[in-house]
Structure formats: C-alpha cells, structure tokens
C-alpha cells in the first residue's frame, strides 16, 4: 500500500472508497493543519510551475486559489480583507503588470 502522508481535499476519501480500495486517514490539529497546508501550497505551486499548457496552468491556479481560501479561513480572515490589503499594497508599490526585472542597485 503506497504511503502518501499529505493533506488532501475533503472528498478524496469517498472517491478512494468508491474504488473499493482500503485506506487510512486522520484529522489534523489546527497547528498540524497549517503546517500541512503550507506544504500543500508548495506542491501546488510546483505543479503550476511545471504546467506546460494553458489549460493545465489554469487548473493549477484554481488549486492555488483553493489553498488561498483555506489559508484565509485558517487565519480567520476573508478574501475581501486579503484583497483590500493586496489593493493597498498595489497602490503603494505597484503590481507586476509592467514586468520589471531589477538587475542591480548601487550601494
């Protein structure tokens, strides 16, 4: 039996069960959950990084958004609050629309 030891989406156990396969799960504490959610965010970001088609990239971005939703809920905030902070930072420092790549800064 393969060992995964990773955070999975809520319906994965029922999907596995429907195949007739045996599996084990556990429920994480809040602290463990945040640790595993952070690991999952890197996993999803790597999958986005490795996506070779537009469709695959968009699907991976959707997974990343699911992670952002989970982070927001875990930190007892909302996407609206996060978006307001993002907007404020964009007003002060800009976004990434101009694709500026900083090469060096003189000391």
């Amino acid at each position: 039996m393969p060992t995964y030891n990773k955070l999975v989406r809520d319906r994965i156990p029922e999907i596995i069960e429907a195949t007739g396969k045996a599996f084990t799960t556990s429920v994480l504490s809040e602290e463990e959950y945040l640790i595993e959610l952070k690991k999952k965010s890197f996993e999803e970001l790597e999958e986005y990084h490795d996506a070779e088609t537009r469709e695959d990239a968009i699907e991976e971005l959707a997974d990343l958004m699911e992670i952002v939703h989970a982070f927001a809920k875990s930190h007892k905030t909302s996407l609206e609050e996060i978006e307001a902070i993002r907007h404020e930072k964009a007003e002060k420092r800009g976004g990434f629309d101009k694709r500026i790549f900083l090469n060096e800064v003189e000391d």
Side-chain angles (χ1 to χ4, degrees):
M1 180 181 302
T3 302
Y4 289 92
N5 289 330
K6 69 177 189 173
L7 183 66
V8 295
R9 288 175 176 263
D10 296 340
R11 295 195 59 212
I12 295 302
E14 73 182 69
I15 292 168
I16 296 170
E17 188 173 48
T19 68
K21 294 180 181 176
F23 63 94
T24 61
T25 62
S26 57
V27 177
L28 302 172
S29 69
E30 286 294 324
E31 190 175 303
E32 292 169 324
Y33 174 64
L34 191 54
I35 290 167
E36 293 303 320
L37 193 56
K38 288 176 181 181
K39 288 180 189 176
K40 190 71 172 178
S41 70
F42 284 106
E43 177 187 326
E44 297 300 345
L45 185 57
E46 185 174 8
E47 289 175 6
Y48 170 74
H49 178 270
D50 294 343
E52 294 184 2
T53 66
R54 178 182 183 276
E55 292 76 20
D56 288 344
I58 291 170
E59 185 169 328
E60 297 309 332
L61 285 172
D63 289 343
L64 283 165
M65 286 300 298
E66 191 66 37
I67 295 292
V68 170
H69 281 260
F71 276 135
K73 188 174 182 180
S74 178
H75 290 292
K76 297 175 179 41
T77 188
S78 65
L79 292 181
E80 291 78 16
E81 182 178 5
I82 293 169
E83 181 62 20
I85 293 167
R86 185 205 64 80
H87 183 67
E88 183 180 313
K89 288 180 87 169
E91 287 290 317
K92 289 179 182 175
R93 302 179 66 127
F96 296 98
D97 295 334
K98 295 180 181 179
R99 297 182 262 171
I100 298 169
F101 186 82
L102 182 63
N103 298 107
E104 57 187 325
V105 176
E106 184 180 319
D107 274 341

